[in-house]
Structure formats: structure tokens, C-alpha cells
Amino acid sequence: MKTSKPESLTTESVKSAPATDGELAGANSAIAIDDHDHHDAPKGITRWLYSTNHKDIGTLYLWFSFIMFLTGGAMAMIIRAELFQPGLQLVEPEFFNQMTTVHGLVMVFGAVMPAFTGLANWMIPLMIGAPDMALPRMNNLSFWILPFAFLILLSSLFTQGGGPNFGWTFYAPLSTTYGPDSTALFVFSVHIMGISSIMGAINVIVTIVNLRAPGMTWFKMPMFVWTWLITAFLLIAVMPVLAGAVTMVLTDKYFGTSFFEAAGGGDPVMFQHIFWFFGHPEVYIMILPSFGIVSAIVPAFSGKKLFGYHSMVYATCSIALLSFLVWAHHMFTTGMPVFAELFFMYCTMLIAVPTGVKVFNWVATMWRGAMTFETPMLFTIAFIILFTIGGFSGLMLAIVPADFQYHDTYFVVAHFHYVLVSGAVFSIMAAAYYWLPKWTGHMYDNRLSLWHFWCSVISVNVLFFPMHFVGLAGMPRRIPDYAIQFADINQIVSIGGFAFGLSQLIFLWVVIKCIRGGEKAEAKVWDRAEGLEWTVPSPAPHHTFSTPPKVD
């Protein structure tokens, strides 16, 4: 197949000064694109089953994550419908516990993580000038085992005794001694999810290390590439820890071991140490790619280069390293020694410093910029404000004596939903609006997208902000019934929950409408966006960068 090649194209490495992602390449960057256009992609179901193309696999991840987002959201609606009034309304307490457990697992492992993996598959090769991911067959496998993992997990709800009912953290002995017979299905599904994550992480690392275009030095990589590189190392480090934890749960329950069974000489608190050594880096696995997305969108709609690019890279590395030193702040009420409580409290407060660096850098980028407020920028600004609120409540939880009051109340639920919904999920929506024209070749319906934004941002605050107050007043989490004094606020929270869930149907319609047609998108969709992905046509051809571009 003949390949088009601009005259200025060269594959020689180019020496140039360290630069931000804004200096990667403008519209005049030399690129090489296969003469295939998107219509030359294979047709039919086999395209999706056997594809090794990073764009197809990224699309599969994104659609899968959205389906899981709606599935987990439906479970959340069952939870909020039950809590609309005090007393037992709609479901039995046992089924309520199953909903809280599977909702958490589906949202963490099925919605947020695959969405970021889909964005990585789509965008990293385009951003670094690579023709594809480095390990395309493994890429295909890492996706296609995911639907089976969640089929196993969701099928457990229909088994005798019901699905997992011990919370997404599956604390022993709740999961070992008292868990349902379907615990084995839960364990196997988590193993498959972990295998998928590790394969995806290896692929990202190998791609970034080996397939960068000539001249794409480490400190010319976009922040999204940097954050995903660091996230991939976190995944490889902690997913085996999760695998070990679920394997010990499996053997304790079915094979007579006593890792966590006190009667057999085990220690249930050891489970918490093992789980949270995975669990806290996992929080950053779900937020670091968000930082990369925001670091791409803020400069594009502020008309300025990202402020403090190098400090952003170092801050991301610092967050990743410190995430391994703070796991026991989830365990202040377990009776650990005062020295340990102080150590984990100070480490947790320390991690706020590099996180604060990022927030100040984004604000400094916007400061005196020629800002425009398209939908991706609106979601990004909402992310910065609401994620900061979640960060402040995290600092409150880091203080040991205060945490004794907050622990296992709705204050904690409010905190991590501000981080993961108005944080991670809003950044994913911002990314979708930012790159959707590049993916589809059409501009989305701006009026509908604004409806989606305002409905989402209002309802998400009606949903989660009042939870702080019922938590401070002492309402425990994961309960199907509650005292009458919490009734009014719980009704408000449930109304916000239903409104937020319905708002996402607007998002679905925006995406479908954009795929089906609309105003033609230019190669450079956003006038002030910079990077190699904006040098390829819209929609991005099925094969790009057959010959490496030169990065000046």
C-alpha cells in the first residue's frame, strides 16, 4: 500500500530543548498516515472479535465501561430507592448488601478502570506517534476476558444464597466465614479482572518506552501519557497483591486454611493490611489518568501552555510513591499503636502537597488565559472544584482523632464519591467530549452536551454533598434502614441520585447522535489544542503513523 509522506518527514531523532506537551507538534508537524481511511476497516462482528487495532480495542473498552456504568448505576438506584424513607421499603436487607457490594465492584473494576484503559488505547499511540500498541494480540485478549469476568460476577446474584454481600472491600471474616457460596465466583471474577489490568499495563509501558516517535523525548510526552505510564507501574505493583488477598479468602473459605480466621490462629486485621496495600494505590490508579486528561484540556481552552509541566511530572511520581505509605489510614479504628497512627496520618497529609501542586498549576494555567467554555472545559472546571472538595474531606479523614468520628459513616461515602464521581467520572466525560470529534469525525450536539453538563453537575452535588451532614450526625454506611431524623436529607440525596442517573441518558444520546452524523470535524478540532493527535484527520484513520512522524 502506498504511503503518503510530506516532504519534511524524517525518521531521524531530533534534538531539542525539553518542552511541554503544547510544544510537541502543531498543525505543521510532519506526519505519516496510511492511505486507508476509516471506511477501509474490516466489517462485521469479526472486526471486533479479532481486532488488534488500538482504536477498535479502545472503542470496545469505552463501550464496555459505559454499559458497566449504567449497570452499576442501576444498582445504585436500588440502594437509593430503598433509602428514600426509613424502614424496609423495596428489598430485603440481604439483597441490599449484595447491591452495595456489586455496585462498588462494577463501578471500580468495570466502569472507571476500563474507561481509562480505553482512553489509553485510543490516545497514547496517537499522542506519541506510534502505529499501534506494542503488543496488539495481548491487547485483544486483555479486553475480551473482561466481559467474561463480569458475567461471572453478575451471575452470582442469581445463585442460591445470592451474590457477594460483604462490601466491595470483602473484609474477613465477612467474606470467609459468613460469605455466601457464590464467594468463589467473586474470587474468580476478580482474578480475571486483575489479569486483564496487568496485561493492559504491560502493553502501555512497552508502547511508551519503545514506540515513541523520533524526537519525542521523555519531557516532551503529553501529561496524559506520563500519568498513564505511572499508573501502569502502579497496576503491575498492586494487582498481584489483590490476587493474593482473594486467593487467601478462597482457601480460608473452601480449603480449611486460617489466614484470617482467629480461631485457627489467623488474623482478620492482617486482611485489612493486605487489602489496603492494594486498595490505596488503586485509588490513585483511578485518578492519575484524570490528572493527565485535565492537563490536556485546561491549556487547550485557556490559550496557554501548561504551567509547570516538569513539576506536574514530579508531582505525579511523588503521589505514586507516597500511595504505598498511607494504606493504614483506612484502619485507624482497628487498634494500631499510636506511633503507627501518627506515621500514617502524617504521610496522608504529606500526599496532599503534590496533589495541591497539580491543582495550583491548573489554576495558574487558567489565570489570565483567554479562556473559552466549551463542554470539555466545563467538565474540567467542575472536576477541579469538586475534586478539591473531595481532597479536603480526605484531609479531614486523615486526622486520627477526627477519623474515629467519621469512620464507617456516610461522611466517608461522600468523600470517596466526590473523588471518584465528580473526579474520575467527570474527567472521563470531559475526555469523551474533547476527543469524540476526533474519534467520529463529527461535532457533537452542543446544546445537548450543555444539558448533560448542567444536569450532571447540579444533581451530583444534590446527591453527595448532603451525605457529609448525615455522616457527621452519625449515620452508618451500608445499612438498609436508619433513624427517622435522617429521613429528610436521605430523600434529597435519593432525588439527586435519580436525577444524576437520568442525566447520563442524555450523554448516551449525545454520543449516539455524534456517531450517526453531524457537523464535519476538522483535523484540529479545537483551535488551540496541540499534540500529534490533532495532526491526523477526523475521524482518525484506521491505521496511522505507518512511518514515524518527526517531533520538533
Side-chain angles (χ1 to χ4, degrees):
M1 177 60 68
K2 183 181 177 182
T3 303
S4 60
K5 184 176 179 180
E7 289 181 4
S8 60
L9 182 67
T10 174
T11 57
E12 296 176 4
S13 297
V14 177
K15 294 182 180 179
S16 53
T20 68
D21 55 309
E23 294 173 73
L24 289 175
N28 296 324
S29 295
I31 57 169
I33 305 170
D34 196 317
D35 280 340
H36 287 89
D37 66 18
H38 66 294
H39 297 296
D40 288 328
K43 306 292 184 185
I45 189 68
T46 55
R47 169 184 175 181
W48 304 103
L49 286 174
Y50 304 129
S51 178
T52 55
N53 183 281
H54 72 97
K55 302 178 184 71
D56 286 351
I57 295 171
T59 301
L60 287 169
Y61 268 113
L62 290 168
W63 275 113
F64 175 79
S65 72
F66 191 70
I67 291 166
M68 288 294 103
F69 181 57
L70 295 180
T71 303
M75 295 174 185
M77 294 304 95
I78 293 171
I79 294 167
R80 290 316 316 173
E82 177 59 47
L83 295 174
F84 189 78
Q85 290 181 318
L88 300 180
Q89 307 296 321
L90 301 174
V91 296
E92 293 296 320
E94 182 70 16
F95 186 71
F96 182 89
N97 290 343
Q98 294 172 36
M99 287 294 97
T100 57
T101 301
V102 181
H103 162 74
L105 291 166
V106 165
M107 287 304 201
V108 170
F109 296 107
V112 175
M113 291 174 66
F116 283 135
T117 308
L119 292 172
N121 267 282
W122 244 107
M123 300 313 302
I124 287 176
L126 290 179
M127 286 177 162
I128 65 173
D132 207 315
M133 297 295 280
L135 306 166
R137 294 182 190 277
M138 190 168 82
N139 205 14
N140 176 283
L141 179 62
S142 68
F143 171 76
W144 277 111
I145 62 176
L146 264 188
F148 292 99
F150 283 91
L151 194 62
I152 292 169
L153 177 65
L154 295 174
S155 68
S156 68
L157 295 168
F158 303 98
T159 61
Q160 188 172 1
N165 58 4
F166 31 69
W168 84 274
T169 54
F170 58 99
Y171 277 7
L174 294 175
S175 56
T176 53
T177 305
Y178 305 108
D181 290 339
S182 62
T183 301
L185 295 176
F186 154 76
V187 170
F188 293 143
S189 67
V190 169
H191 269 303
I192 298 171
M193 297 170 204
I195 292 167
S196 171
S197 295
I198 291 170
M199 287 197 292
I202 291 170
N203 212 349
V204 166
I205 292 170
V206 176
T207 302
I208 295 170
V209 171
N210 291 320
L211 296 186
R212 299 194 311 282
M216 175 73 73
T217 58
W218 289 105
F219 283 101
K220 286 185 183 178
M221 294 195 311
M223 274 305 302
F224 181 72
V225 179
W226 262 114
T227 53
W228 239 112
L229 179 66
I230 294 163
T231 299
F233 279 109
L234 283 179
L235 279 165
I236 292 172
V238 302
M239 293 311 287
V241 178
L242 176 65
V246 294
T247 302
M248 287 188 275
V249 166
L250 185 76
T251 58
D252 267 17
K253 183 163 180 62
Y254 297 102
F255 297 103
T257 58
S258 295
F259 291 110
F260 312 124
E261 186 62 55
D267 182 3
V269 176
M270 181 176 74
F271 173 87
Q272 296 189 36
H273 281 290
I274 296 169
F275 177 83
W276 286 115
F277 190 77
F278 148 78
H280 204 79
E282 168 68 15
V283 172
Y284 294 100
I285 285 166
M286 291 189 287
I287 203 66
L288 289 183
S290 298
F291 296 164
I293 292 165
V294 172
S295 299
I297 293 174
V298 168
F301 296 102
S302 299
K304 291 170 62 182
K305 288 182 169 59
L306 180 66
F307 181 87
Y309 168 83
H310 285 74
S311 67
M312 293 284 269
V313 173
Y314 297 135
T316 308
C317 296
S318 302
I319 291 169
L321 292 172
L322 288 169
S323 72
F324 289 101
L325 301 177
V326 296
W327 77 88
H329 68 209
H330 299 269
M331 301 168 54
F332 286 150
T333 59
T334 59
M336 68 175 67
V338 172
F339 172 80
E341 289 179 337
L342 290 171
F343 172 82
F344 287 108
M345 178 175 76
Y346 291 138
C347 283
T348 305
M349 297 176 84
L350 183 63
I351 210 168
V353 175
T355 309
V357 166
K358 290 181 169 295
V359 173
F360 286 122
N361 282 14
W362 294 325
V363 173
T365 304
M366 291 187 281
W367 179 254
R368 294 190 171 180
M371 291 176 63
T372 57
F373 297 97
E374 285 87 346
T375 307
M377 187 61 166
L378 291 175
F379 270 106
T380 300
I381 293 170
F383 166 93
I384 295 170
I385 296 169
L386 300 178
F387 173 77
T388 302
I389 292 173
F392 277 129
S393 61
L395 277 175
M396 295 169 68
L397 288 160
I399 301 167
V400 175
D403 184 76
F404 276 66
Q405 168 72 15
Y406 307 140
H407 188 77
D408 265 349
T409 69
Y410 262 81
F411 188 89
V412 178
V413 179
H415 157 67
F416 70 72
H417 280 91
Y418 261 89
V419 172
L420 292 179
V421 178
S422 51
V425 173
F426 270 26
S427 74
I428 292 165
M429 291 172 180
Y433 284 116
Y434 186 55
W435 285 309
L436 193 61
K438 176 59 62 182
W439 300 339
T440 64
H442 305 119
M443 293 302 296
Y444 54 80
D445 187 316
N446 190 57
R447 185 175 62 86
L448 278 178
S449 71
L450 291 175
W451 269 101
H452 174 229
F453 169 74
W454 286 110
C455 290
S456 295
V457 79
I458 293 168
S459 60
V460 84
N461 284 287
V462 174
L463 169 57
F464 295 122
F465 199 75
M467 288 183 182
H468 291 100
F469 302 111
V470 290
L472 289 172
M475 180 176 167
R477 62 195 286 199
R478 294 180 184 162
I479 55 167
D481 192 10
Y482 52 86
I484 189 71
Q485 64 261 35
F486 303 130
D488 292 344
I489 293 184
N490 269 293
Q491 284 191 359
I492 294 170
V493 168
S494 290
I495 290 168
F498 285 112
F500 183 72
L502 291 171
S503 301
Q504 306 325 306
L505 298 180
I506 303 174
F507 183 43
L508 176 62
W509 177 236
V510 170
V511 173
I512 292 172
K513 190 176 178 183
C514 186
I515 292 170
R516 293 174 65 180
E519 181 188 343
K520 183 76 175 70
E522 301 295 327
K524 194 169 186 180
V525 178
W526 314 108
D527 290 340
R528 297 176 296 179
E530 294 184 348
L532 289 178
E533 72 266 34
W534 305 113
T535 61
V536 302
S538 299
H542 195 61
H543 300 286
T544 44
F545 300 125
S546 298
T547 304
K550 182 189 78 170
V551 178
D552 293 322

